[in-house]
Amino acid sequence: MAWVIVWVGLGLALGLWVAATQGRSAATEYFAAYLLEESLSVDNIFVFVVIFSELHIPAEHQRRVLLFGVAGALVFRALAIGAGITLVERVQWITYLFATLILFAAWRLLFGAERERKVVKKACDVCDTWIARVVRVSPVLHGHDFWRRESGRLVATPLLVALVVIETTDIVFALDSIPAVLAVTRNPLIVYSSNVMAMLGLRSLYFVLSDAVYRLRYLRSGLAALLVFTASKM
């Protein structure tokens, strides 16, 4: 909880810096984008809970997986944001495509929860996952290592499977959140910084909400309503 307060405090402090250096209008855009990204990031926690429970990964190893997962997500989102802003500036009609993606994300939140859970569970099956077709995977944990040696060969552990599934699902979530934040602002600094601050606090937020997230019965419908409003604005 203390780390959540620290990360949210840093996110709000960055908004004050934007206000001091770029003006009130830019600060308003930043706070709107940050709150939107922070809200949508809570939806990631549902998926993290399923991934870690399916792979039987204890809490002491979950932090390491999430650390690398967030680091990889920041790199991918930088590329995706750059591509998204370039497309919006050069191809005007792309905003309608982005709005359609946001509406699809709202539909997924309302009606796709069970299918989403099944897809993630299948991806976490160490014997049947597509990851096992690329590299050899062991169902046995080896401390906090992503790889271990077995008969002289490198073998992936369930921690690597969890990391890969988290990274691939974040690509899906980015298709929701990045178009949504582009409906708020097209300023690259504000778009990326709001994403960064929301993602940096996600790991701590997971450990606060992971046991309670299924009791937030109106969370997904609330996020869906937010996305429908954002799509109509775009």
Side-chain angles (χ1 to χ4, degrees):
M1 183 66 80
W3 275 111
V4 170
I5 294 171
V6 168
W7 288 118
V8 172
L10 287 174
L12 298 178
L14 182 57
L16 296 177
W17 176 82
V18 171
T21 57
Q22 299 191 31
R24 185 174 180 177
S25 177
T28 302
E29 291 181 353
Y30 169 81
F31 283 119
Y34 172 66
L35 291 172
L36 178 62
E37 289 296 330
E38 190 73 34
S39 300
L40 292 175
S41 70
V42 177
D43 187 38
N44 296 34
I45 294 174
F46 283 100
V47 177
F48 294 166
V49 170
V50 175
I51 292 171
F52 289 137
S53 63
E54 285 297 309
L55 292 169
H56 307 290
I57 295 176
E60 61 266 24
H61 298 323
Q62 292 174 12
R63 295 181 182 276
R64 177 175 168 84
V65 176
L66 289 176
L67 176 64
F68 281 88
V70 168
L74 291 178
V75 174
F76 169 75
R77 291 197 178 211
L79 299 173
I81 288 168
I85 292 175
T86 302
L87 284 172
V88 168
E89 290 178 347
R90 296 187 179 184
V91 185
Q92 291 297 318
W93 57 263
I94 203 74
T95 56
Y96 296 103
L97 176 60
F98 284 170
T100 303
L101 285 174
I102 297 171
L103 288 173
F104 178 75
W107 179 89
R108 177 181 61 81
L109 284 168
L110 283 176
F111 306 110
E114 189 57 38
R115 176 172 173 76
E116 181 182 282
R117 193 175 291 111
K118 288 180 180 178
V119 170
V120 172
K121 285 183 177 181
K122 183 174 178 60
C124 291
D125 186 342
V126 294
C127 298
D128 193 40
T129 180
W130 62 269
I131 303 166
R133 300 187 187 102
V134 179
V135 295
R136 189 177 177 187
V137 178
S138 168
V140 181
L141 285 171
H142 190 256
H144 64 267
D145 296 330
F146 293 111
W147 300 89
R148 71 184 184 92
R149 287 202 171 273
E150 191 176 275
S151 302
R153 295 176 58 187
L154 276 177
V155 178
T157 69
L159 290 188
L160 184 69
V161 176
L163 177 61
V164 173
V165 176
I166 284 174
E167 293 291 5
T168 51
T169 52
D170 183 70
I171 293 174
V172 177
F173 285 123
L175 294 176
D176 305 348
S177 65
I178 291 175
V181 80
L182 289 176
V184 175
T185 179
R186 308 287 168 80
N187 185 322
L189 174 64
I190 293 175
V191 174
Y192 188 60
S193 62
S194 61
N195 263 265
V196 167
M197 297 313 300
M199 292 298 295
L200 287 177
L202 180 59
R203 189 173 70 143
S204 302
L205 195 63
Y206 166 79
F207 288 103
V208 171
L209 293 180
S210 59
D211 292 331
V213 71
Y214 286 109
R215 295 199 294 272
L216 304 176
R217 64 178 67 184
Y218 300 114
L219 175 66
R220 293 177 77 95
S221 56
L223 292 176
L226 183 64
L227 287 176
V228 170
F229 172 78
T230 305
S232 63
K233 180 179 184 296
M234 176 167 273

